[in-house]
Amino acid sequence: MNLKVLYVCSEVFPLLKTGGLADVSAGLPPALQALGADVRLLLPAFPSVVAGVTPEGSTLLVPPGGSPGLPEGVGPQATSAHGPTPWLRAGRITDSGMPVWLLHAPGLYERDGNPYLDEQGRPWPDSAEQFAWLGWAAALLGTGLDAGWQPDVVHGHDWHSGLAFAYLRELARTAEHRPASVFTIHNLAYQGVFNAGLRPRLGLPDTLFHLQGLEFHGQINFMKAGLKYSDAITTVSPTYAREITGTEQGCGLDGVLRQRQAHLHGILNGVDDAVWNPLTDPLVQPGFDADHLQGKAQAKTRLQTHMGLQPRPDALLFSVVSRLTEQKGLHLLPAVVDELVQRGGQLAVLGSGDAAIEQALRDCAQRHPGQVALTVGYDEVLAHSVIAGADVILLPSRFEPCGLTQLYGLRYGTLPLVRAVGGLADTVVDCSLEHLDDGSASGFVFQDLDVPSLLAALKRAFALQRRPADWRAVQRHAMALRFGWARAAGEYLQVYRSVLPT
Ligand code: ADP
Ligand code: GLC
């Protein structure tokens, strides 16, 4: 019998994406299917998601908390006294054929743009309800709402799915069907913390609201619910799995994670070969591979021209494709730009986010016209162009649960320059002499989150450029590395099996 997995998440590439979470929701489920699992996604019915799904088959009502047959005080209250009951619509993602449940709830998801933030960058005022309903729908499906498809495993991602595990615990007391549950942390820094006064509305009884439950400094913490009430926890790299059990990276939840250490697994993310393959990438033509780099040279010239950089083939072209946030350590970048340019380098940045980081980078671009370029915004096509055309991709992250762009960089022969944290430490090997010697070098790695360390790594990149044969050898090794989803999917299946009843 195929293992049935309900995969609960808030975004999926290419329908809705704010970051790597969406890439994972697109890459991991098909890899699980390829290993024989029967996977269905559960997502809120945001407009761009609805537009990319072909409805198929049934609709199921999602009874609010307190409905007949459900335990008292558990589950969110109806959103509007007069609105219809939320419902689940079955379908398939039109392009990939992946089965999906879409959760429709009157007034909660019918809005365009970022699923978490309004146009001013503030959290939506009803964020708690949006994702409480997602968790509730997951818990109901997990305990048999759809008699025809009862999941063996509920696998939720990030805080948006956290309440699923609390509701499941309550529903499982009386339900006939109790699934195993797995919660994956993609970023511990975003926890979904809300006012305790919302408890009655969200249907979170007192039995859940205490230090050993989902209470966090007097507030409701969705992430903590996932950590406390799931059978197993995973996160997206082995190093991050260790880091988050310490105070520095634990974001206040390290104690909880230490308690659950025996059930905490680090599983490195993969790369979706259908999207990020330099030979077949439709956004980067002509394609290239390690033996035929002409296409990469052309991509560099195109990128330089497109971003207003001087089209110098010999300029060492550094790049950033990122959310511009504290997490990514990009506040360090402006301080090294003058030296980078002085040494003959160029910098191409694509990103958006923090206004202060944006402004500092804009100032750099103004100071160095033709050598430093910034494009503010989110642009999938340009992201591929940058990763294909640059020589180096920068991730000086303060913390990085996994990081995907360094993996994309490796695949495209764009050497990652990274800080040794989280998934970056697990995937990039510095060009030190010993690593050059044994053939394991794949990029540039620095330790401390400060300007001198970043600068030293930049200098190593320039030094390697002056040794073209070594550069080629490192690039060839980087391009041959494979971080496939098949391996990750195999590890997830092992975790599922470890928590299934025997
Ligand atoms: P995070 O999820 O923390 O933002 P990841 O490295 O895991 O970091 O994933 C980021 C994803 O978002 C990658 O697919 C990257 O290409 C994409 N991305 C980031 N910023 C932009 C941007 N400004 N335009 C297009 N894609 C972007
Ligand atoms: C988060 C992390 C990032 C990770 C991604 C996918 O957004 O910040 O490091 O790669 O999730 O797991």
Side-chain angles (χ1 to χ4, degrees):
M1 260 258 297
N2 292 347
L3 194 71
K4 295 192 188 66
V5 181
L6 182 68
Y7 189 104
V8 189
C9 57
S10 51
E11 46 183 278
V12 60
F13 176 82
L15 308 185
L16 179 63
K17 166 165 164 175
T18 69
L21 179 62
D23 292 7
V24 176
S25 313
L28 176 57
L32 289 166
Q33 279 181 330
L35 296 182
D38 174 2
V39 187
R40 292 197 189 176
L41 267 53
L42 167 62
L43 284 145
F46 292 115
S48 64
V49 177
V50 175
V53 168
T54 306
E56 184 183 280
S58 49
T59 297
L60 287 174
L61 288 181
V62 180
S67 298
L70 292 172
E72 211 170 311
V74 178
Q77 305 303 298
T79 35
S80 142
H82 309 292
T85 304
W87 68 97
L88 289 160
R89 186 79 212 259
R92 282 177 191 271
I93 295 182
T94 309
D95 286 347
S96 64
M98 177 60 60
V100 56
W101 283 112
L102 294 189
L103 173 63
H104 295 261
L108 281 187
Y109 308 124
E110 301 105 336
R111 57 189 78 152
D112 291 315
N114 189 298
Y116 320 118
L117 306 172
D118 67 14
E119 302 227 310
Q120 277 73 48
R122 292 171 307 213
W124 293 109
D126 53 2
S127 200
E129 279 171 294
Q130 287 184 302
F131 294 108
W133 275 98
L134 180 67
W136 180 239
L140 288 172
L141 282 170
T143 46
L145 183 68
D146 176 6
W149 194 84
Q150 302 195 356
D152 302 298
V153 180
V154 171
H155 183 179
H157 296 262
D158 264 355
W159 72 263
H160 322 106
S161 69
L163 287 198
F165 302 88
Y167 293 137
L168 259 181
R169 180 190 131 108
E170 296 302 305
L171 293 178
R173 292 179 197 284
T174 50
E176 276 170 33
H177 181 79
R178 187 208 181 280
S181 62
V182 176
F183 178 63
T184 297
I185 305 165
H186 293 264
N187 195 335
L188 196 63
Y190 302 97
Q191 299 182 358
V193 175
F194 299 99
N195 193 303
L198 284 171
R199 275 184 295 149
R201 186 127 44 108
L202 305 186
L204 297 171
D206 289 350
T207 47
L208 298 170
F209 195 72
H210 50 83
L211 190 63
Q212 290 304 326
L214 53 77
E215 184 261 352
F216 185 73
H217 301 290
Q219 295 187 291
I220 302 165
N221 186 320
F222 280 40
M223 174 74 81
K224 193 177 173 202
L227 301 182
K228 291 300 284 190
Y229 298 125
S230 56
D231 296 331
I233 303 167
T234 74
T235 188
V236 289
S237 71
T239 294
Y240 193 61
R242 283 193 298 278
E243 289 170 343
I244 54 180
T245 60
T247 47
E248 199 186 316
Q249 302 260 18
C251 302
L253 291 173
D254 45 293
V256 178
L257 285 158
R258 280 195 298 279
Q259 281 175 357
R260 299 230 49 207
Q261 205 147 16
H263 298 280
L264 170 63
H265 311 267
I267 302 179
L268 195 69
N269 284 335
V271 171
D272 192 342
D273 202 59
V275 184
W276 294 99
N277 177 341
L279 202 53
T280 54
D281 189 335
L283 304 177
V284 181
Q285 285 302 316
F288 57 90
D289 62 22
D291 294 320
H292 309 90
L293 285 170
Q294 189 53 31
K296 183 163 177 70
Q298 291 178 23
K300 180 170 177 176
T301 312
R302 275 200 312 274
L303 174 64
Q304 287 169 317
T305 311
H306 177 84
M307 289 192 75
L309 297 168
Q310 283 175 8
R312 289 193 285 126
D314 60 317
L316 192 59
L317 178 50
F318 293 86
S319 66
V320 172
V321 177
S322 183
R323 295 183 289 120
L324 304 180
T325 65
E326 271 289 296
Q327 169 188 348
K328 302 293 178 180
L330 293 167
H331 58 289
L332 297 180
L333 197 50
V336 299
V337 164
D338 291 354
E339 173 120 16
L340 184 158
V341 172
Q342 213 175 5
R343 287 175 176 262
Q346 294 183 332
L347 174 64
V349 180
L350 167 63
S352 65
D354 184 296
I357 301 177
E358 246 175 61
Q359 188 54 48
L361 290 169
R362 196 171 284 123
D363 292 346
C364 292
Q366 272 164 8
R367 238 180 13 256
H368 300 290
Q371 312 306 334
V372 176
L374 167 69
T375 299
V376 171
Y378 183 89
D379 183 335
E380 192 65 33
V381 178
L382 187 55
H384 281 249
S385 308
V386 172
I387 288 171
D391 297 305
V392 178
I393 182 155
L394 300 168
L395 287 101
S397 301
R398 179 185 292 278
F399 66 93
E400 196 62 74
C402 178
L404 292 170
T405 49
Q406 86 279 14
L407 301 181
Y408 303 156
L410 290 166
R411 192 79 170 83
Y412 284 67
T414 303
L415 302 186
L417 189 158
V418 306
R419 182 157 172 261
V421 283
L424 303 174
D426 291 335
T427 55
V428 185
V429 176
D430 185 59
C431 282
S432 59
L433 283 177
E434 69 272 28
H435 294 144
L436 284 174
D437 205 40
D438 67 19
S440 63
S442 59
F444 313 95
V445 182
F446 67 99
Q447 298 292 328
D448 299 325
L449 187 69
D450 57 31
V451 171
S453 306
L454 172 59
L455 199 54
L458 284 172
K459 289 179 185 170
R460 281 205 294 293
F462 283 107
L464 194 70
Q465 187 198 24
R466 282 191 293 277
R467 294 161 176 74
D470 283 339
W471 185 286
R472 281 288 294 120
V474 174
Q475 191 179 42
R476 179 178 289 279
H477 173 63
M479 294 179 84
L481 293 168
R482 289 293 177 272
F483 296 92
W485 274 116
R487 173 220 19 102
E491 292 181 42
Y492 279 104
L493 282 182
Q494 276 179 24
V495 172
Y496 297 161
R497 292 204 185 97
S498 75
V499 290
L500 281 169
T502 42

CSV table of all heavy atoms in Angstrom, one decimal, residues 18-24 158 184-187 190 236 269 323 327-328 399-406 423 485, ligand 2:
chain,number,residue,atom,x,y,z
A,18,THR,N,7.4,33.3,-2.3
A,18,THR,CA,8.1,34.4,-1.7
A,18,THR,C,9.6,34.0,-1.4
A,18,THR,O,10.4,34.9,-1.1
A,18,THR,CB,7.5,34.9,-0.3
A,18,THR,OG1,7.7,33.9,0.6
A,18,THR,CG2,6.0,35.2,-0.5
A,19,GLY,N,9.9,32.7,-1.5
A,19,GLY,CA,11.2,32.3,-1.2
A,19,GLY,C,11.4,30.8,-1.4
A,19,GLY,O,10.6,30.2,-2.1
A,20,GLY,N,12.4,30.2,-0.8
A,20,GLY,CA,12.8,28.8,-1.1
A,20,GLY,C,11.7,27.8,-0.7
A,20,GLY,O,11.6,26.7,-1.3
A,21,LEU,N,10.8,28.2,0.3
A,21,LEU,CA,9.7,27.3,0.7
A,21,LEU,C,8.9,26.9,-0.6
A,21,LEU,O,8.5,25.7,-0.7
A,21,LEU,CB,8.8,28.1,1.7
A,21,LEU,CG,7.6,27.4,2.2
A,21,LEU,CD1,8.0,26.1,3.0
A,21,LEU,CD2,6.8,28.3,3.1
A,22,ALA,N,8.7,27.8,-1.5
A,22,ALA,CA,7.9,27.5,-2.7
A,22,ALA,C,8.6,26.5,-3.6
A,22,ALA,O,8.0,25.6,-4.2
A,22,ALA,CB,7.5,28.7,-3.4
A,23,ASP,N,9.9,26.7,-3.7
A,23,ASP,CA,10.7,25.7,-4.5
A,23,ASP,C,10.7,24.3,-3.9
A,23,ASP,O,10.6,23.3,-4.6
A,23,ASP,CB,12.2,26.2,-4.6
A,23,ASP,CG,12.4,27.5,-5.3
A,23,ASP,OD1,11.4,28.1,-5.7
A,23,ASP,OD2,13.5,27.9,-5.6
A,24,VAL,N,10.7,24.3,-2.6
A,24,VAL,CA,10.7,22.9,-1.9
A,24,VAL,C,9.3,22.3,-2.1
A,24,VAL,O,9.2,21.1,-2.5
A,24,VAL,CB,11.0,23.1,-0.4
A,24,VAL,CG1,10.8,21.7,0.3
A,24,VAL,CG2,12.4,23.6,-0.2
A,158,ASP,N,6.7,24.9,8.1
A,158,ASP,CA,6.8,26.2,8.7
A,158,ASP,C,5.6,26.6,9.6
A,158,ASP,O,4.6,25.9,9.7
A,158,ASP,CB,7.1,27.3,7.7
A,158,ASP,CG,8.6,27.6,7.6
A,158,ASP,OD1,9.4,27.0,8.4
A,158,ASP,OD2,9.0,28.4,6.7
A,184,THR,N,8.2,20.4,9.4
A,184,THR,CA,9.5,20.8,8.9
A,184,THR,C,9.7,22.3,9.1
A,184,THR,O,8.8,23.1,8.7
A,184,THR,CB,9.6,20.5,7.4
A,184,THR,OG1,9.5,19.1,7.2
A,184,THR,CG2,10.9,21.0,6.8
A,185,ILE,N,10.8,22.6,9.7
A,185,ILE,CA,11.2,24.0,9.9
A,185,ILE,C,12.0,24.5,8.7
A,185,ILE,O,13.1,24.0,8.4
A,185,ILE,CB,12.1,24.2,11.2
A,185,ILE,CG1,11.5,23.6,12.4
A,185,ILE,CG2,12.5,25.7,11.4
A,185,ILE,CD1,12.5,23.4,13.5
A,186,HIS,N,11.5,25.5,8.0
A,186,HIS,CA,12.3,26.1,7.0
A,186,HIS,C,13.0,27.4,7.5
A,186,HIS,O,14.0,27.8,6.9
A,186,HIS,CB,11.4,26.5,5.8
A,186,HIS,CG,10.9,25.2,5.1
A,186,HIS,ND1,11.5,24.7,4.0
A,186,HIS,CD2,9.9,24.4,5.4
A,186,HIS,CE1,10.8,23.6,3.6
A,186,HIS,NE2,9.8,23.4,4.5
A,187,ASN,N,12.4,28.0,8.5
A,187,ASN,CA,13.0,29.2,9.0
A,187,ASN,C,12.5,29.5,10.4
A,187,ASN,O,11.3,29.9,10.5
A,187,ASN,CB,12.8,30.4,8.1
A,187,ASN,CG,13.7,31.6,8.4
A,187,ASN,OD1,14.1,31.7,9.5
A,187,ASN,ND2,13.9,32.4,7.4
A,190,TYR,N,10.8,33.0,11.7
A,190,TYR,CA,9.4,33.4,11.5
A,190,TYR,C,8.5,32.4,12.2
A,190,TYR,O,8.4,31.2,11.8
A,190,TYR,CB,9.0,33.5,10.0
A,190,TYR,CG,9.9,34.4,9.2
A,190,TYR,CD1,11.0,34.0,8.5
A,190,TYR,CD2,9.6,35.8,9.2
A,190,TYR,CE1,11.8,34.8,7.8
A,190,TYR,CE2,10.4,36.7,8.5
A,190,TYR,CZ,11.5,36.2,7.8
A,190,TYR,OH,12.3,37.1,7.1
A,236,VAL,N,16.0,21.9,7.3
A,236,VAL,CA,16.4,21.7,5.9
A,236,VAL,C,17.9,21.6,5.7
A,236,VAL,O,18.4,21.7,4.5
A,236,VAL,CB,15.8,22.8,5.0
A,236,VAL,CG1,14.3,22.6,4.9
A,236,VAL,CG2,16.0,24.2,5.6
A,269,ASN,N,17.9,20.2,1.5
A,269,ASN,CA,17.1,20.4,0.4
A,269,ASN,C,17.7,20.0,-0.9
A,269,ASN,O,19.0,19.8,-1.0
A,269,ASN,CB,16.7,21.9,0.2
A,269,ASN,CG,15.7,22.4,1.2
A,269,ASN,OD1,14.9,21.6,1.7
A,269,ASN,ND2,15.7,23.7,1.5
A,323,ARG,N,16.2,37.8,-1.0
A,323,ARG,CA,15.4,38.8,-0.2
A,323,ARG,C,16.5,39.7,0.5
A,323,ARG,O,17.5,39.2,1.0
A,323,ARG,CB,14.6,38.0,0.9
A,323,ARG,CG,13.5,37.1,0.3
A,323,ARG,CD,12.7,36.5,1.4
A,323,ARG,NE,13.5,35.4,2.1
A,323,ARG,CZ,13.7,35.4,3.4
A,323,ARG,NH1,13.3,36.4,4.2
A,323,ARG,NH2,14.4,34.5,4.0
A,327,GLN,N,18.7,38.6,7.7
A,327,GLN,CA,19.1,37.1,7.7
A,327,GLN,C,20.2,36.9,6.7
A,327,GLN,O,21.1,36.1,6.9
A,327,GLN,CB,17.9,36.3,7.3
A,327,GLN,CG,18.3,34.8,6.9
A,327,GLN,CD,17.2,34.0,6.3
A,327,GLN,OE1,16.0,34.4,6.4
A,327,GLN,NE2,17.5,32.8,5.8
A,328,LYS,N,20.2,37.6,5.6
A,328,LYS,CA,21.1,37.3,4.5
A,328,LYS,C,22.4,38.0,4.6
A,328,LYS,O,23.3,37.9,3.8
A,328,LYS,CB,20.4,37.7,3.1
A,328,LYS,CG,19.1,37.0,2.9
A,328,LYS,CD,19.2,35.5,2.7
A,328,LYS,CE,17.9,34.8,2.5
A,328,LYS,NZ,18.1,33.4,2.3
A,399,PHE,N,22.2,33.8,9.2
A,399,PHE,CA,21.8,32.4,9.4
A,399,PHE,C,21.2,32.0,8.1
A,399,PHE,O,20.7,32.8,7.3
A,399,PHE,CB,20.9,32.2,10.6
A,399,PHE,CG,19.6,32.9,10.5
A,399,PHE,CD1,18.5,32.2,9.9
A,399,PHE,CD2,19.4,34.2,10.8
A,399,PHE,CE1,17.2,32.8,9.8
A,399,PHE,CE2,18.1,34.8,10.7
A,399,PHE,CZ,17.1,34.1,10.2
A,400,GLU,N,21.2,30.7,7.8
A,400,GLU,CA,20.7,30.2,6.6
A,400,GLU,C,20.3,28.7,6.8
A,400,GLU,O,21.1,27.8,6.7
A,400,GLU,CB,21.7,30.3,5.5
A,400,GLU,CG,21.1,30.1,4.1
A,400,GLU,CD,20.2,31.3,3.8
A,400,GLU,OE1,20.6,32.4,3.5
A,400,GLU,OE2,18.9,31.0,3.8
A,401,PRO,N,19.0,28.5,7.0
A,401,PRO,CA,18.5,27.1,7.2
A,401,PRO,C,19.0,26.1,6.2
A,401,PRO,O,19.6,25.1,6.5
A,401,PRO,CB,17.0,27.3,7.2
A,401,PRO,CG,16.8,28.7,7.7
A,401,PRO,CD,17.9,29.5,7.1
A,402,CYS,N,18.8,26.5,4.9
A,402,CYS,CA,19.5,25.7,3.8
A,402,CYS,C,20.1,26.6,2.9
A,402,CYS,O,21.3,26.7,2.7
A,402,CYS,CB,18.5,24.7,3.1
A,402,CYS,SG,19.3,23.8,1.8
A,403,GLY,N,19.3,27.4,2.2
A,403,GLY,CA,19.8,28.3,1.1
A,403,GLY,C,19.7,27.4,-0.2
A,403,GLY,O,20.1,26.3,-0.2
A,404,LEU,N,19.1,28.0,-1.2
A,404,LEU,CA,19.0,27.3,-2.5
A,404,LEU,C,19.8,27.9,-3.5
A,404,LEU,O,20.3,27.3,-4.4
A,404,LEU,CB,17.5,27.3,-2.9
A,404,LEU,CG,16.6,26.4,-2.0
A,404,LEU,CD1,15.1,26.6,-2.4
A,404,LEU,CD2,17.0,24.9,-2.2
A,405,THR,N,20.0,29.3,-3.4
A,405,THR,CA,20.7,29.9,-4.5
A,405,THR,C,22.2,29.5,-4.6
A,405,THR,O,22.8,29.6,-5.7
A,405,THR,CB,20.6,31.5,-4.4
A,405,THR,OG1,20.9,31.9,-3.1
A,405,THR,CG2,19.2,31.9,-4.7
A,406,GLN,N,22.8,29.1,-3.5
A,406,GLN,CA,24.2,28.6,-3.6
A,406,GLN,C,24.2,27.3,-4.4
A,406,GLN,O,25.1,27.0,-5.1
A,406,GLN,CB,24.9,28.5,-2.3
A,406,GLN,CG,24.6,27.2,-1.5
A,406,GLN,CD,23.3,27.2,-0.8
A,406,GLN,OE1,22.4,28.1,-1.0
A,406,GLN,NE2,23.1,26.3,0.1
A,423,GLY,N,22.9,25.5,6.0
A,423,GLY,CA,23.0,24.7,4.8
A,423,GLY,C,24.2,25.2,4.0
A,423,GLY,O,24.7,24.4,3.1
A,485,TRP,N,16.6,15.9,-5.4
A,485,TRP,CA,15.4,15.7,-4.5
A,485,TRP,C,15.2,14.2,-4.2
A,485,TRP,O,14.6,13.9,-3.2
A,485,TRP,CB,14.2,16.3,-5.1
A,485,TRP,CG,14.0,17.8,-4.7
A,485,TRP,CD1,14.0,18.9,-5.6
A,485,TRP,CD2,13.9,18.3,-3.4
A,485,TRP,NE1,13.9,20.0,-4.9
A,485,TRP,CE2,13.8,19.7,-3.6
A,485,TRP,CE3,13.8,17.8,-2.1
A,485,TRP,CZ2,13.7,20.6,-2.5
A,485,TRP,CZ3,13.7,18.6,-1.1
A,485,TRP,CH2,13.6,20.0,-1.2
B,2,GLC,C1,13.7,29.3,4.2
B,2,GLC,C2,15.2,29.5,4.5
B,2,GLC,C3,16.1,29.0,3.4
B,2,GLC,C4,15.7,27.7,2.9
B,2,GLC,C5,14.2,27.7,2.5
B,2,GLC,C6,13.7,26.4,1.9
B,2,GLC,O1,13.2,30.3,3.5
B,2,GLC,O2,15.5,30.9,4.8
B,2,GLC,O3,17.4,28.9,3.9
B,2,GLC,O4,16.5,27.3,1.8
B,2,GLC,O5,13.4,28.1,3.6
B,2,GLC,O6,13.8,25.4,2.8
